[in-house]
Amino acid sequence: MTFTITLDSLLKTILLILGIAAVIILIVLMVKVIKALKTLPNTMRNVDSIVDNVETLSTAGRDAVTKASAALTGIKQAADENRGPVRAATSLIAATTGLVALLKKDKEKK
């Protein structure tokens, strides 16, 4: 008993095996896609709640930044308005400190 294998029959057999393997792979992929699509509604609900939370957080953050900016602007304006009196008070304190130091040195010499 002899078997004769021609190149034509060998190629047809290889193509048939590859075709069957491709169909099996496609079926497995389709099953996975169907399972993934079943969870899609739950995922979309979660995405909606996440987007709502992000919008709430961004609004709260924007409000906090606005309030902090207003407070810092007020502090800067107060510092700018009182710059002259603060400098004068600082100079007066420095002069008084210098005078006290001179008086102490003068007492120590006597």
Side-chain angles (χ1 to χ4, degrees):
M1 185 186 322
T2 60
F3 291 101
T4 307
I5 299 176
T6 63
L7 186 59
D8 184 31
S9 64
L10 180 64
L11 288 177
K12 285 181 183 179
T13 305
I14 291 173
L15 285 176
L16 181 65
I17 292 171
L18 288 175
I20 292 171
V23 168
I24 291 171
I25 291 172
L26 285 175
I27 290 171
V28 169
L29 286 176
M30 288 303 294
V31 168
K32 288 184 178 185
V33 167
I34 290 170
K35 285 182 182 178
L37 288 176
K38 285 182 182 179
T39 63
L40 187 62
N42 290 334
T43 304
M44 292 309 294
R45 277 192 293 273
N46 291 338
V47 168
D48 287 340
S49 66
I50 289 171
V51 168
D52 291 341
N53 290 339
V54 167
E55 287 175 359
T56 304
L57 288 174
S58 65
T59 301
R62 190 176 328 118
D63 292 343
V65 168
T66 302
K67 289 177 183 177
S69 174
L72 290 174
T73 302
I75 291 170
K76 182 186 177 301
Q77 286 175 348
D80 287 345
E81 290 171 1
N82 294 322
R83 187 169 297 191
V86 169
R87 283 187 185 160
T90 304
S91 298
L92 179 63
I93 291 170
T96 306
T97 305
L99 181 62
V100 169
L102 284 174
L103 292 175
K104 282 184 181 178
K105 284 182 184 178
D106 191 37
K107 277 187 178 181
E108 290 174 1
K109 287 182 183 178
K110 291 182 180 180

